[in-house]
Amino acid sequence: MGSRKESTTPRRRSGNAPLTLTDFIAIDWSGQAVERPKGLAVAHARAGDAAPTLIDRPWSRVDILAFLDQLAESGTRALIGLDLSPAFPFADAGAYFPGWEESPADGPKLWALVERVSEADPHLAASSFVRHPEARRHFRQTGDCGDLFPGGRGRFRVCEFGQEKMALSPYSCFNLVGASQVGKSSLTGMRVLHRLRGRIGMWPFDPLPETGPVLVEIYTSLAARLAGMRKGISKIRDAETLNIMLAAFGSAPHAPLPRYDDHATDAILSAAWLRVAARQAPLWHPAGLTPELARTEGWTFGVP
């Protein structure tokens, strides 16, 4: 944690009115166990209709942690979307890791466990966690499928079934095999969430604050789908397509990018979508989100 100062917990917000926000930040995440993963991308939009800008730099997870800390320190009223799952499935089995006596009772305790087991891993990676003799039993890894991995597509959170209803293709966080796996990103993200505890709240694990920034889980393909991208195509790799998708969210055209890769365009489009979605009060109160799920599994912002 270093010498970062602890701030007081932001005041809790009540009522069902949309949040009043000034900044909208989308972060395309990566679980790659290197210092500066190529998959990390950050885009920033301000209130209004100007296109989001890509904060173009070789990011590390440590850099992003410092960037988020600065937002908390400055009290910026920002909605920050992280493209990762902040928790594992819980509701289906009554535990994250059934049979393991250290299986945590809620999301923040899960983040603390991942941090403790992985604290020696550099770059906020989580390789030690998936090698842990109890944890590894629940994961499907290359050359090592745990005996408690249920087979098939693996276990899913409740909100991930909601993603499927939106014509998205979620993957189990317990599946660590293949280019589309999300488990490693989720685990590294949990280390960041643990270190931000008490600084920035994570919805819906934490109540919405009246001041300062707030974090939410996003699924970048959801923004593309809502912008009109047809099923089977979810990546934007050219300026014209990006501008068409941005216009669907009332955004002006973007400034030309030095490169058009999936990570940059995902972050830019998601930031534009967050600016629109934040004003939609029902998205903060999804029908399927129960207090128990809010405490254990969390929810993908934008899934009704």
Side-chain angles (χ1 to χ4, degrees):
M1 297 288 289
S3 60
R4 291 184 292 120
K5 295 185 291 184
E6 294 296 329
S7 65
T8 58
T9 302
R11 290 186 297 164
R12 296 186 177 188
R13 180 179 178 277
S14 60
N16 295 333
L19 297 177
T20 300
L21 298 155
T22 61
D23 296 76
F24 306 86
I25 297 165
I27 302 176
D28 198 28
W29 201 255
S30 172
Q32 190 179 11
V34 297
E35 182 179 6
R36 301 188 183 279
K38 294 180 180 179
L40 290 177
V42 181
H44 177 207
R46 298 191 186 278
D49 62 3
T53 58
L54 182 71
I55 305 178
D56 191 24
R57 56 178 290 188
W59 290 97
S60 70
R61 285 182 287 267
V62 173
D63 292 336
I64 290 180
L65 175 60
F67 171 69
L68 296 177
D69 256 335
Q70 290 170 3
L71 292 175
E73 187 71 26
S74 65
T76 302
R77 194 63 169 142
L79 178 61
I80 306 159
L82 297 175
D83 183 29
L84 55 88
S85 297
F88 292 110
F90 190 101
D92 62 338
Y96 299 119
F97 306 103
W100 185 12
E101 62 181 11
E102 290 191 57
S103 185
D106 59 35
K109 290 183 176 66
L110 172 63
W111 309 337
L113 175 65
V114 174
E115 171 70 13
R116 177 172 61 79
V117 174
S118 306
E119 62 184 350
D121 292 352
H123 319 311
L124 293 177
S127 303
S128 294
F129 191 84
V130 297
R131 291 197 301 262
H132 186 280
E134 288 294 334
R136 62 155 290 279
R137 299 178 67 193
H138 299 267
F139 291 96
R140 177 165 59 194
Q141 306 183 57
T142 302
D144 179 19
C145 187
D147 63 298
L148 295 180
F149 185 87
R153 296 193 304 154
R155 297 170 58 195
F156 283 84
R157 296 184 297 152
V158 172
C159 69
E160 289 160 352
F161 292 110
Q163 294 172 12
E164 287 188 316
K165 293 178 181 178
M166 300 179 74
L168 300 171
S169 302
Y171 281 73
S172 171
C173 294
F174 287 112
N175 174 33
L176 305 183
V177 178
S180 298
Q181 63 84 19
V182 295
K184 294 176 183 177
S185 292
S186 299
L187 285 164
T188 57
M190 290 175 199
R191 293 195 64 185
V192 170
L193 291 175
H194 174 72
R195 294 184 178 214
L196 289 171
R197 201 79 188 125
R199 302 273 290 163
I200 306 180
M202 177 78 190
W203 178 88
F205 299 94
D206 299 301
L208 293 174
E210 290 186 348
T211 60
V214 62
L215 293 158
V216 295
E217 171 195 353
I218 60 172
Y219 188 167
T220 56
S221 293
L222 185 152
R225 190 74 67 246
L226 293 176
M229 187 77 77
R230 70 179 186 273
K231 184 174 173 58
I233 302 177
S234 61
K235 299 303 180 183
I236 302 169
R237 298 184 175 93
D238 64 89
E240 181 180 3
T241 302
L242 179 56
N243 280 335
I244 291 171
M245 298 292 103
L246 286 171
F249 298 131
S251 172
H254 72 287
L257 300 177
R259 65 188 184 284
Y260 286 85
D261 60 43
D262 299 349
H263 311 295
T265 58
D266 279 352
I268 289 171
L269 186 62
S270 294
W273 170 72
L274 281 172
R275 183 166 57 191
V276 173
R279 301 194 299 268
Q280 300 173 19
L283 295 183
W284 295 104
H285 306 278
L289 179 61
T290 66
E292 178 69 6
L293 290 176
R295 186 178 67 84
T296 56
E297 292 192 353
W299 199 265
T300 309
F301 186 63
V303 174

